[in-house]
Amino acid sequence: MTVNDGQGDIVLDIRNLRTRIETLRGVVHPVNDVSLQCFRGRTLAVVGESGSGKSMTFLSVLGLLPPGGSIESGTVSYLGQEYTLEGKSRLSQLRGKSIGMIFQDALAGLNPSFTIGQQIGDVVRHHEKTSRAEARRRAIETLGLVGIPNPRERVDYYPHQLSGGMRQRVMIAMGVALRPQVLVADEPTTALDVTVQAQIMELLDGLRRELGMSLVIITHDLGVVARYAEEVAVMYGGRVVEHGSVRQVLKNTVHPYTEALLRSSPRPDAHVAELDPIPGQPPNLLAVPTGCSFHPRCHRRDDRELCATDIPRLRALTPTSQLTACHRAEEMALQDVSV
């Protein structure tokens, strides 16, 4: 099911994805029956607390799972063609060239032993049969595209010679060097000051429009979601619990977890003396609660124990509403729960 049928071309289609990771303490499922669609030229934000499955969903799609990780079930299609998630050759072709990913720690993501030009050039040469000179030219061109001043000079810089914001631009350059159809930005503004964060987000939004990409923003920042995304998927405990247009989800939420996230986030338009934190902790994936995994922390849980026994199905309350996975969604829809 998609919340955007008929509104654009689906570039990346994730259906019922379920990922397992074998740990020393047992098997966990950080991604559990997740379905998402990325539309050409549009921005999808994926939000939730740490451990909700946001990053792991797209690491699964790109075949970048940690040791012990594997795809248990589900399908992924790129431009309408399903590909095998365990097929390393096909995944290697898609990574970078068709689906780019920007990781949140630029300093850890760049090799300190090589210049930034070499690292961007290696991305180009891995996918295209081209000379080192041509790869260097492409690196300079891409550095200019992402707003690096004096790219002909800085192409020979090492990562430590650049500021945090510039290193993040280099990571973005590596992600868009091959002009992918989908760009996944995993917490792209982590550890950057507020001014630089705004610059990076404006850059990503501008690249989306200029290159016609589908952009996925994995973030905790609901302000970023409201400003830059058209659609938002809220994840909790490895599942999507609410998914729809940004206006639907942020203005008229019908899931208690989304409501709690909004109340616990600073907002310039909300005149409150203090934030309202979500009680408790995200679920331990080794012992996920039965029923709705959010019910131990939910102030709207069903007194008849339905929330503790039955996993709610992701569904639309009306043909035009967002998708939600909550037993009390109809009740919330009748109330004014906008925050």
Side-chain angles (χ1 to χ4, degrees):
M1 180 182 291
T2 174
V3 298
N4 219 355
D5 285 329
Q7 293 188 22
D9 298 330
I10 297 177
V11 182
L12 186 66
D13 193 358
I14 305 167
R15 299 279 176 167
N16 307 114
L17 185 63
R18 181 176 167 90
T19 299
R20 64 180 278 140
I21 297 179
E22 297 180 13
T23 73
L24 294 176
R25 297 176 59 193
V27 175
V28 299
H29 292 92
V31 181
N32 203 338
D33 196 28
V34 169
S35 296
L36 293 170
Q37 292 77 41
C38 303
F39 290 80
R40 189 184 308 279
R42 296 175 66 84
T43 299
L44 166 68
V46 185
V47 303
E49 294 169 286
S50 296
S52 61
K54 310 183 300 298
S55 299
M56 196 60 69
T57 295
F58 289 93
L59 292 175
S60 301
V61 167
L62 290 170
L64 297 174
L65 290 171
S70 62
I71 304 300
E72 197 168 274
S73 59
T75 62
V76 179
S77 298
Y78 173 73
L79 294 179
Q81 183 177 357
E82 183 180 329
Y83 66 86
T84 304
L85 290 165
E86 302 295 348
K88 293 184 179 180
S89 176
R90 176 62 172 151
L91 284 170
S92 180
Q93 292 174 5
L94 286 171
R95 276 198 303 264
K97 187 172 181 62
S98 301
I99 308 171
M101 187 162 186
I102 304 166
F103 297 98
Q104 58 181 289
D105 189 345
L107 192 59
L110 295 171
N111 191 322
S113 301
F114 297 96
T115 67
I116 61 174
Q118 288 175 298
Q119 295 181 64
I120 298 171
D122 284 347
V123 172
V124 175
R125 298 187 73 223
H126 177 76
H127 290 278
E128 300 179 4
K129 301 298 183 181
T130 187
S131 65
R132 291 187 183 276
E134 173 60 17
R136 177 183 171 84
R137 186 196 67 78
R138 293 272 294 276
I140 294 171
E141 178 185 59
T142 307
L143 288 174
L145 180 68
V146 300
I148 297 286
N150 304 317
R152 291 185 181 278
E153 175 186 347
R154 287 194 164 93
V155 72
D156 294 318
Y157 279 24
Y158 289 86
H160 73 271
Q161 294 177 283
L162 299 172
S163 67
M166 287 296 178
R167 284 195 294 265
Q168 193 64 32
R169 287 176 185 267
V170 172
M171 288 294 294
I172 295 171
M174 293 177 68
V176 302
L178 294 164
R179 308 302 190 265
Q181 294 291 307
V182 181
L183 181 64
V184 181
D186 188 359
E187 295 286 355
T189 59
T190 296
L192 300 176
D193 64 59
V194 175
T195 302
V196 178
Q197 286 179 10
Q199 293 173 356
I200 294 299
M201 289 310 307
E202 288 293 334
L203 171 62
L204 288 171
D205 192 52
L207 288 171
R208 173 191 61 81
R209 288 183 271 107
E210 182 174 347
L211 302 179
M213 300 183 302
S214 172
L215 177 62
V216 179
I217 303 174
I218 299 171
T219 183
H220 297 93
D221 191 336
L222 294 177
V224 166
V225 175
R227 182 175 177 84
Y228 295 103
E230 286 100 3
E231 292 182 48
V232 57
V234 182
M235 292 190 66
Y236 186 82
R239 297 178 181 271
V240 175
V241 297
E242 191 163 9
H243 183 194
S245 73
V246 167
R247 181 171 183 81
Q248 286 175 324
V249 173
L250 299 190
K251 295 295 184 181
N252 301 105
T253 179
V254 285
H255 196 283
Y257 179 58
T258 310
E259 179 187 14
L261 281 179
L262 288 166
R263 294 189 184 279
S264 64
S265 302
R267 297 175 57 193
D269 60 334
H271 304 289
V272 294
E274 58 185 34
L275 300 178
D276 185 10
I278 306 174
Q281 298 292 328
N284 179 352
L285 294 181
L286 287 167
V288 178
T290 58
C292 173
S293 58
F294 184 60
H295 86 264
R297 307 172 71 189
C298 180
H299 68 285
R300 294 181 179 271
R301 57 182 175 268
D302 197 313
D303 294 334
R304 296 168 297 172
E305 301 301 322
L306 178 65
C307 297
T309 57
D310 293 2
I311 298 175
R313 179 176 56 88
L314 189 66
R315 70 197 194 284
L317 301 186
T318 71
T320 59
S321 71
Q322 69 261 47
L323 306 179
T324 185
C326 178
H327 296 303
R328 308 299 292 269
E330 286 83 359
E331 176 185 315
M332 290 185 65
L334 295 175
Q335 302 174 9
D336 181 10
V337 297
S338 60
V339 293

